[in-house]
Amino acid sequence: MNGVMPPGVENPLVFSAISAGIGAIVGSFLGVVCERVPGMVLGSAGRENLWLPGSHCPQCGHTLAWWENIPLLSWCLLGGRCRQCRNAIPLRLLMVELLSALFFAASSGFFPTVSGWLPLWILWCGLLPLAMIDSRHMLLPDCLTQPLLWAGLLTHAVFHTLPVTDALFGAAAGYAALWLIYQLFRLSTGREGLGYGDIKLLAALGAWCGWQVLPLVLLSGAILGIIGYFVLYKPDNASRQIPFGPFLSCAGIGVFILQSAHIAI
Ligand SMILES: [Zn+2]
């Protein structure tokens, strides 16, 4: 499991380029997850699921031809607009593909062992949709947080990146810590300061990072959240709620990257 590179790919540059291509394709699917899962969870998507109907323009329903659906390339070929109605294709879809391509390439470049890059790719696939969906819909669906937690436990069991007991205690401690903060805040203010999705997300991050670094994840997420509150959201009144998931996700993957660097060294 800990071989330096996949068989047949000895050149690091070639491997990074292949990783970027895989990242763009995976990013294209993650874009579908970000667009469709909220409707599926909230019941507003009708019979739509991740696979059906096929890729289409959300404005006019135009079904995309194969060449209109190539990650990164099609957006450039079409000038960022639907071929039929000429409405703009959301820039966020391009960003998901681009960021995924860059992240996959960078992680396989910096951590060339399978036990280095593969866990990072898996964590990215869980956290990116959660961060995007929470930032747009204030929603952290169970169908994403729960598999992410299990994926963390299984990853450590398979790749020995962390002792599984640390990951198990991390999941339990992550849940317990935010549940306690949630209850204390509710008792003292009568309001809900967090969603249950945040509690489950920290449990998943506990499974990925281990219980020892949970305070660091939570503190970093809170600091990023405070910065984001003033910088990104420009709140016009103090009572405005902002999603915590994107900041917690950034903190979680940041800490896991630092841990991966330590393991790689
Ligand atoms: Zn259209």
Side-chain angles (χ1 to χ4, degrees):
M1 282 296 176
N2 293 321
V4 171
M5 280 185 197
V9 190
E10 280 81 23
N11 186 323
L13 278 179
V14 173
F15 184 43
S16 276
I18 292 171
S19 301
I22 296 171
I25 295 166
V26 170
S28 178
F29 176 71
L30 295 180
V32 176
V33 172
C34 295
E35 296 300 306
R36 297 193 183 185
V37 164
M40 289 161 56
V41 170
L42 299 171
S44 59
R47 297 168 69 164
E48 190 173 77
N49 57 41
L50 288 180
W51 318 107
L52 291 171
S55 297
H56 59 277
C57 167
Q59 275 104 340
C60 70
H62 162 63
T63 303
L64 303 188
W66 68 266
W67 62 271
E68 295 172 278
N69 208 13
I70 305 169
L72 296 177
L73 211 60
S74 293
W75 200 94
C76 303
L77 284 174
L78 295 163
R81 295 190 173 275
C82 167
R83 184 164 60 100
Q84 184 151 301
C85 69
R86 304 304 297 160
N87 277 315
I89 302 167
L91 192 62
R92 62 178 178 275
L93 295 178
L94 176 72
M95 294 312 294
V96 170
E97 292 174 359
L98 189 60
L99 288 175
S100 299
L102 291 174
F103 184 84
F104 275 40
S107 48
S108 62
F110 283 110
F111 307 109
T113 58
V114 177
S115 60
W117 53 265
L118 190 54
L120 281 166
W121 289 14
I122 297 169
L123 185 57
W124 177 264
C125 291
L127 288 181
L128 182 78
L130 281 166
M132 291 217 32
I133 291 171
D134 200 27
S135 65
R136 290 186 67 214
H137 303 277
M138 296 286 285
L139 178 72
L140 292 166
D142 283 356
C143 63
L144 297 178
T145 50
Q146 302 306 305
L148 183 64
L149 189 155
W150 285 105
L153 296 178
L154 288 170
T155 295
H156 295 315
V158 172
F159 294 109
H160 310 295
T161 31
L162 270 189
V164 176
T165 44
D166 288 357
L168 270 174
F169 287 133
Y175 192 97
L178 271 198
W179 181 86
L180 204 62
I181 293 171
Y182 170 90
Q183 296 296 348
L184 287 174
F185 188 87
R186 199 165 65 95
L187 280 174
S188 55
T189 66
R191 293 189 294 129
E192 289 188 349
L194 290 163
Y196 258 92
D198 296 314
I199 299 173
K200 293 167 192 168
L201 176 57
L202 190 65
L205 291 176
W208 276 90
C209 300
W211 64 270
Q212 295 92 333
V213 295
L214 264 181
L216 178 63
V217 173
L218 196 51
L219 187 66
S220 315
I223 291 170
L224 288 173
I226 291 167
I227 295 169
Y229 183 74
F230 289 105
V231 176
L232 291 177
Y233 288 87
K234 296 185 175 64
D236 40 23
N237 64 65
S239 64
R240 171 156 181 197
Q241 285 193 323
I242 66 162
F244 191 29
F247 306 108
L248 211 45
S249 300
C250 286
I253 202 156
V255 168
F256 191 74
I257 288 170
L258 289 177
Q259 286 180 307
S260 300
H262 179 68
I263 291 164
I265 291 163

